[in-house]
Structure formats: structure tokens, C-alpha cells
Amino acid sequence: MVEMDSGEKRLNELGYKQELRREMTLFKTLAISFSTMTLFTGITPLYGSSLLYAGPASLVWGWVVVSFFTWFVGIAMAEICSSFPTTGSLYFWAAHLAGPVWGPFASWCCAWLEAIGLIAGIGTQAYAGSQVLQSIILLCTGTNKGGGYFAPRGVFLAMYICLTIIWAVLNTFALEVIAIIDIISIWWQVIGGSVIVIMLPLVSLTTKPASYVFTHFETAPDSTGITSKAYAVILSILVSQYSLYGYDAAAHLTEETKGADRNGPIAILSSIGIISVFGWAYILALTFSIQDFNYLYDAGNETAGAFVPAQILYDAFHGRYNNSAGAIVLLFVIWGSFFFGGLSITTSAARVVYALSRDKGIPFSSIWRKIHPKHKVPANAVWLCAAICILLGLPILKVNVVFTAITSICTVGWVGGYAVPIFARMVMAEKRFKPGPFYLGRARRPICLVAFLWICYTCSVFLLPTLYPIKWDTFNYAPVALGICLTLVMLWWVLDARKWFKGPVRNIDVQDGK
């Protein structure tokens, strides 16, 4: 008789039998969390726009403020994770914490928010990955000034679709490869990140003085149309709010992790710690290395004004060595981290869709919950996510703010999903909670309250228009897309689903009251 893993024992008490293989160690779980929260993937694509809104100071200090509040969310999640080590994590937690009456509704909201957020998350990685690729091709073929090739919208969309399909294929046939890639990913992020953070300021011919980086504040009403200083600061902090989540990836994998009731919380908290420090260093490195602030946004510059970090890298290397090879290599490092990030988000999205269809919460759920007989992965769920993600990218052909909209949908869904279990934990009676090894005791209510309010603030900020005056091609269509989705989901609940949807379906029957 093999001794049962502590996580598996708790899983059985909760009414689930172990279906997925328990092979992940703490290091692997940490690697996956870390590569979902990726250093570059959050900061790089939004860095330029955030810098433009209110100058360097609010960007640099915004990261510190956001990290501080993120700890509250992380600690609240870690406590819950320690008590419920199961796969469809957030969704399962919501059902149990909200109790028998509200449980089904709580898990319904949570599961749908999370599925929407993760599927849009694949889109954010694919879009940003294509953006970096566009800059790499441009610099390789001779920069924008030297007649380089700047990929038009159609080609851009093709790159976006290719990336999505590659991730889906890898997730269908190559789980072992993914486990290896995730370990490569953590080293890629750590080594690549250190190289960029250390080299960039050293290579730059001139660096900005500290007074500029930490105290300089300027709005750009001509290019953004935003005159209110407070509004500009709120928008400039978006980059930090978008980068600092994804730490629940550890929780998605708890059913596959050894000793998950202890390792899950450790992985969540350590990934927030690592990323807060590393991310700040990365922002500082980019900001100190700026050569000419206004030239970064000039459509006639070497990177066509399309991608600010690429121009900063180009200025640094071209200024010192008179060629752009170094910038191309570092851009490739950044591109690699988008590739890994997209891969691990595809894994998470498929897991959530699988958990929801296992409990019959998606139309045609019998198709999506089929597990590939040989590879033991929810293959159909993977391809469903890829297809929806490709549809989300189609407006690239016409609209300028596709990325803003996809990141907004992703953040609101993903972080909004965190709010449901945290709120339920805050209002539930303490005697119904069965604490795991990580327990907050008295501190739980204030911590959950701060976490909940911060999530509400984050979600509302992401629905604001980001450019004025509002026209068709600058319109942030996230509120519309989310509104339609959530209205349909709620209508289905009110009209039909509430009669039969019971939340997570147990697959071990309780025998003799055990």
C-alpha cells in the first residue's frame, strides 16, 4: 500500500478522485507560476503607453504601490489554497466557501469570469509576441529609416494566429515537453531578465539622472488627449496592474503537485515576491536608459514609433556599437518569454474549461470534457480556447486598440475571478472553514477586505477609455465585449442553469457518512 500524498488525501475528503498525474514538485509549480506572471510579458507591451500618460515617476512608483496591494490578494488566496488543493481551483473554492445556498451561483460566476480571462490571456501573449516579432523583422531588414520591412496588419494577424495554433498543438501532444519548457522558461526569465537589467544601463551612452526617473512628472495631452493629471496617473499604473497577476497558476496545478496543501501557498507567495523585485528592476533599467523621450514616440524613428522598449534597446546598442545586433538579441529574449507565457496560459485556460465542462457548465460540455486517451490531456478544450482566441484577434485588421481591449478583458476576467472566493471567505462563518497549514486566523477579515476592494478598483480602471477624443478606431471595446458575454452567461443562469447547475460535481460518492 503506497502512502497517500497529503494533497491527495484532502482531495478525496473534498469528494474528488485523483485523475491527473501527481508529478509536479515545488520547483516545477513555482516555475509555471513564474512563467505565467512573466516579467517581460506584462511590462513590455504596455510600457510605452504608460510612460506617455504621466512620465517616469508615476510609472516607477505605481509599480511599488500595486505590488503592496497585490500582497493582500496573494495572502488571501494562499490561505484558501492551503485548505482546498484542487484543480479548477478558484471555481471550486468559490462553491465551498459560499456554502450550499449561494455556492452554485458563486462558482458559476467565478468559473465564467476565469474562463473569459484566461482565454483572452492567450490573446494578449499572442498579440504582444507578434508585436515583438514585428520589431525584430524590422530591425533585421534594416530599420524603418533604412527601408526595413514593417509587417502590415494582415501579416500581423497571421503571426497572431500562428502563435496560437503552435501553443495548442504543443498542449495537445507534448505535455512532457511542456514540463521541460517550463523549467527552461524560469531560467530564461531569470537569466535573460538579469542580462537586460544589468546590460541596458551599462551599454547606454548616457543614462537619465535619478531625479528624472523618480520625480519627473509630465502629461502628454497632445498625443493622449487626457488633460486631467489624476486620470493620467491612474492610466499610467495600468502596466503594473496588468503585470502583477497570474500567481494563481500554482493553484491550478495543485491536483498535480506533491504535498499541495503546503507547496501551493509557498509557490503563490514566492512568485509574487520574485516578480515584484524583478519587475521593478526591469522598469528602472528601461527608464534610466532613455536617450530622448520625445523621439521614442516619433513615427519616423527606427522602430516606426510602434514599440517603445524596442526603440530604447536600439538607441542603447546603436549609440555605442553603431549596429543593432545587441538590440535584436535582447528582443529575441523578450519574445521567448512571450512564447513561454502563452504556452502556460493555454495550459491553464484548457484546465479551467475542462473543469467547468466536467461539471456541465458549458454548452455541449460532453465534447469539451473528453480526455485524449493516449496523452491524458483535455485536447478538445485546448482547441476550443485557441479558436475563441483567434476570433478575439480578428479586429486587428481594422481597430488600433485591439491590445488595450484584449488586456482589459483578460485582466477583468482573471482578477475578477479572484474576487468571488475572497469575498465569500470574508463573509462566511469561521466555524465552517477547515484551515490548512497556512492559516490567517483573526487577520483574515481585514486582509480579505483590502484585497476585495483592490480587485474592484483594478477591474473598473481597465474599463476606462484610454485615448481621447473617443473615435471608432481608438475606442476601448472591452466593456462592450465583456458586457455581452456576462449578460448572456447571467441570462442562462436565471432562465435555466440555476435549476440544475450544482457547482463542482463530486466524482467519489460519500460512503457511510465518511
Side-chain angles (χ1 to χ4, degrees):
M1 175 85 188
V2 185
E3 194 199 336
M4 198 187 255
D5 182 90
S6 64
E8 188 176 343
K9 182 163 159 285
R10 179 82 181 111
L11 193 65
N12 291 352
E13 286 170 23
L14 293 166
Y16 277 92
K17 66 174 186 287
Q18 180 76 33
E19 286 189 298
L20 301 162
R21 297 181 286 191
R22 249 184 211 279
E23 283 174 354
M24 299 272 187
T25 54
L26 174 62
F27 183 75
K28 276 193 188 167
T29 313
L30 188 58
I32 287 183
S33 268
F34 187 77
S35 60
T36 314
M37 285 188 75
T38 49
L39 174 69
F40 305 125
T41 45
I43 302 169
T44 315
L46 288 175
Y47 177 83
S49 55
S50 297
L51 183 66
L52 189 60
Y53 287 125
S58 67
L59 179 68
V60 167
W61 293 113
W63 179 270
V64 178
V65 173
V66 175
S67 306
F68 174 73
F69 284 107
T70 304
W71 276 103
F72 285 94
V73 183
I75 291 169
M77 303 259 290
E79 182 196 38
I80 303 171
C81 175
S82 166
S83 169
F84 302 116
T86 61
T87 253
S89 55
L90 292 173
Y91 143 75
F92 183 91
W93 303 345
H96 276 256
L97 294 169
V101 183
W102 285 101
F105 180 62
S107 61
W108 176 263
C109 297
C110 189
W112 274 97
L113 277 170
E114 207 187 351
I116 292 171
L118 282 165
I119 292 171
I122 307 173
T124 60
Q125 303 296 340
Y127 186 98
S130 312
Q131 202 179 14
V132 178
L133 210 51
Q134 184 183 39
S135 296
I136 292 178
I137 296 171
L138 181 63
L139 290 179
C140 286
T141 51
T143 78
N144 189 37
K145 286 187 165 168
Y149 176 72
F150 186 68
R153 291 177 187 226
V155 178
F156 193 92
L157 181 64
M159 296 195 231
Y160 175 93
I161 293 174
C162 282
L163 279 172
T164 311
I165 291 173
I166 293 171
W167 292 329
V169 169
L170 283 173
N171 267 295
T172 316
F173 302 112
L175 261 196
E176 280 75 23
V177 182
I178 286 188
I180 298 165
I181 288 182
D182 275 319
I183 290 200
I184 297 174
S185 163
I186 195 170
W187 291 113
W188 182 284
Q189 304 275 353
V190 170
I191 296 169
S194 313
V195 167
I196 291 183
V197 166
I198 295 165
M199 271 187 71
L200 190 54
L202 289 179
V203 169
S204 301
L205 282 177
T206 56
T207 49
K208 291 287 185 201
S211 61
Y212 175 81
V213 175
F214 294 107
T215 60
H216 185 72
F217 178 88
E218 67 175 301
T219 54
D222 306 336
S223 35
T224 56
I226 290 165
T227 45
S228 145
K229 285 188 175 165
Y231 192 26
V233 170
I234 287 174
L235 288 177
S236 74
I237 296 181
L238 287 181
V239 59
S240 315
Q241 283 165 307
Y242 166 63
S243 311
L244 280 165
Y245 59 85
Y247 35 87
D248 59 327
H252 287 291
L253 294 165
T254 44
E255 209 172 306
E256 303 168 50
T257 308
K258 303 184 174 100
D261 45 354
R262 279 208 166 69
N263 286 345
I266 296 175
I268 290 178
L269 296 175
S270 19
S271 44
I272 298 180
I274 298 171
I275 209 86
S276 342
V277 175
F278 246 104
W280 206 49
Y282 180 50
I283 287 182
L284 288 176
L286 281 174
T287 315
F288 269 112
S289 308
I290 293 172
Q291 302 295 312
D292 174 2
F293 181 78
N294 295 319
Y295 185 61
L296 293 177
Y297 298 96
D298 178 358
N301 70 16
E302 286 81 0
T303 53
F307 193 54
V308 170
Q311 185 62 37
I312 294 179
L313 290 170
Y314 175 84
D315 284 344
F317 280 93
H318 192 266
R320 186 169 291 259
Y321 301 116
N322 245 344
N323 70 8
S324 51
I328 294 170
V329 171
L330 293 189
L331 279 174
F332 179 71
V333 171
I334 292 174
W335 181 83
S337 76
F338 284 107
F339 185 80
F340 297 139
L343 192 61
S344 62
I345 292 180
T346 310
T347 313
S348 292
R351 291 282 182 283
V352 172
V353 171
Y354 163 70
L356 187 55
S357 59
R358 188 166 65 172
D359 301 337
K360 305 185 180 53
I362 288 184
F364 313 115
S365 63
S366 58
I367 306 173
W368 315 124
R369 68 161 179 268
K370 280 202 178 67
I371 286 206
H372 193 292
K374 181 166 162 240
H375 302 295
K376 291 268 183 291
V377 271
N380 296 1
V382 172
W383 286 99
L384 175 68
C385 295
I388 299 174
C389 169
I390 290 172
L391 287 176
L392 270 177
L394 292 179
I396 288 175
L397 294 171
K398 285 279 170 265
V399 189
N400 290 335
V401 288
V402 178
F403 188 68
T404 315
I406 300 180
T407 37
S408 303
I409 295 170
C410 167
T411 310
V412 173
W414 200 333
V415 185
Y418 293 2
V420 183
I422 289 177
F423 183 73
R425 172 79 185 102
M426 184 170 70
V427 297
M428 75 187 288
E430 193 53 20
K431 59 176 184 293
R432 283 194 23 244
F433 184 73
K434 184 182 170 198
F438 182 90
Y439 179 55
L440 292 175
R442 282 248 172 94
R444 74 174 199 290
R445 284 224 159 108
I447 287 180
C448 289
L449 180 66
V450 173
F452 179 69
L453 293 174
W454 175 248
I455 291 172
C456 296
Y457 167 73
T458 301
C459 292
S460 47
V461 174
F462 268 96
L463 297 176
L464 297 171
T466 51
L467 292 169
Y468 282 89
I470 297 173
K471 297 198 286 283
W472 278 112
D473 60 344
T474 61
F475 171 62
N476 178 2
Y477 59 89
V480 184
L482 271 168
I484 295 172
C485 267
L486 296 177
T487 312
L488 289 173
V489 170
M490 287 307 156
L491 268 176
W492 185 23
W493 172 260
V494 172
L495 298 177
D496 176 46
R498 68 196 166 98
K499 301 175 187 133
W500 49 261
F501 183 79
K502 293 286 177 278
V505 180
R506 289 167 170 257
N507 56 12
I508 290 184
D509 299 318
V510 180
Q511 303 126 1
D512 3 291
K514 263 188 197 157

